[in-house]
Amino acid sequence: GGSFGEVFALDARTGCVRWSYEADAGLRGAILVGAEGGRAMAYFVDFRTNAYALDVAAGTLRWKTRVGRHPEANTTGSPALHGGQLIVPISSMEVVTAGNPMYECCTSSGAVASLHTTTGLVKWYHRVTVDSAREIGKTAIGTAIFAPSGAPVWSSPTVDARRGLVYVGTGENYTRPATATSDAILAVRLDNGALAWSFQASRDDAFTMACTGLRNRENCPSPPGPDHDFGMSPILATRADGKEILVVGQKSGVVFALDPDAKGAPLWSTRVGKGSALGGIHWGMATDSRFVYAANADRASAIVVKDSVSLAPSPGLYALDLVTGKSVWTAPALPTACGERRGCFAANSAAPTVIPGAVFAGGLDGHIRAHATNDGRLLWDFDTVKDFPTINGVAGRGGAIDGPGPVIAGGFVYVNSGYGSFGQMPGNVLLAFSVARR
């Protein structure tokens, strides 16, 4: 999927286009494939919360449904597919539109919804902020303020089929008073969307983009929170002793292990970074049942509020013991990799991906690296910030690697390079790597 709504089916070995489809808005999440009525179907959701089902062989549309209920609703995370349900995460761009001092902030709520894969009809819809927003006051220039709001769901839901639950991570509130379901892990029932339990890591966090500048701060909550979302999908992991746990990282720079059999009671927590609005753990972690691998961003230039934690920014890749939470090894980000490149940051923000013996991690410096899982030593390093000849003839150049982790399948490593948001290095290539065949 692409940022202009284009969807391509590519030959996995050659990159040649089999078919293409044009969605109504850009795609930020993954495309899932499942079977329906004896046919392979591709399911995805665009930025404006339109969910689609396409025939994989022909690329033709089977159904389309808009899921979000608010004009500013969007979807950045991937949907989840399970048992005839397409489970869709829903966020909101009110965090950005609040930068306009004339905007009446804010009335949206994060959500997660379930659609029937055969028809696209909504089975259930769970609002993160349970109560509807109401006017609670006015800004200094007389614009109405509404609450409760926010607590977006930025990332993919995690299905726990055995317990009949769906886990999602939520972000900060946009206005005060804050709710108990912001900056939290929620467990929602798979059959009806009811809340089973929640774990809140940070209380009283309210923040919008109005808080980031020196002007037009009317829609910035007072005081502003640190914007410590759970931006990644919770990981349901099985430890070596057979115990299932939930592992999740927060933008605060803390990794948590929760007990799904005890309503999310914390088992351990470990700080790997200082954290900030663009620091800590952003997009995801990876685990091999022995360690959990956390990419810590900690961009010093993005720390917009003074954090109570005295720890200095410490970007890099971390391996934590899945049982104890203790740090086993660290591979710090390398400032020397940036040189004079504009928009280059020595930090790990993208989700890592692990296979037996190696964990792959992309950097905001444009490098994709593989580290040994046992001690973190560097096995392979490729700088993607260069021009590439492309299969389709479009001028291609790599940039910052952010967002999803590499996809590894069939002897290939597929990497997206180029992420120009937040002042980072833009680019436009999908790269395929493989070990030389002899």
Side-chain angles (χ1 to χ4, degrees), residues 39 116 131 146 151 153 241 255 257 291 308 319 345 355 377 380 418:
R39 301 283 291 179
H116 293 279
D131 297 327
F146 291 84
V153 180
D241 61 3
V255 179
F291 302 147
S308 60
F345 301 95
I355 61 173
R377 71 186 185 279
W380 174 69

Side-chain angles (χ1 to χ4, degrees), residues 341-403:
R341 290 174 175 170
R342 184 178 180 180
C344 184
F345 301 95
N348 292 87
S349 174
T353 301
V354 66
I355 61 173
V359 54
F360 291 77
L364 298 182
D365 58 7
H367 286 249
I368 176 69
R369 300 177 176 93
H371 298 266
T373 54
N374 61 338
D375 58 10
R377 71 186 185 279
L378 188 64
L379 301 175
W380 174 69
D381 184 355
F382 186 91
D383 185 359
T384 70
V385 186
K386 61 183 72 175
D387 296 325
F388 292 93
T390 63
I391 290 295
N392 54 343
V394 176
R397 183 170 178 81
I401 299 175
D402 206 0

Side-chain angles (χ1 to χ4, degrees), residues 272-327:
V272 300
K274 181 179 179 65
S276 76
L278 284 178
I281 296 96
H282 274 177
W283 298 97
M285 302 188 299
T287 184
D288 55 10
S289 296
R290 182 177 59 152
F291 302 147
V292 59
Y293 305 92
N296 175 36
D298 268 10
R299 278 178 50 183
S301 61
I303 297 175
V304 297
V305 291
K306 184 177 180 181
D307 198 302
S308 60
V309 178
S310 60
L311 183 71
S314 52
L317 185 66
Y318 293 75
L320 308 180
D321 185 282
L322 205 58
V323 175
T324 65
K326 292 182 178 179
S327 179

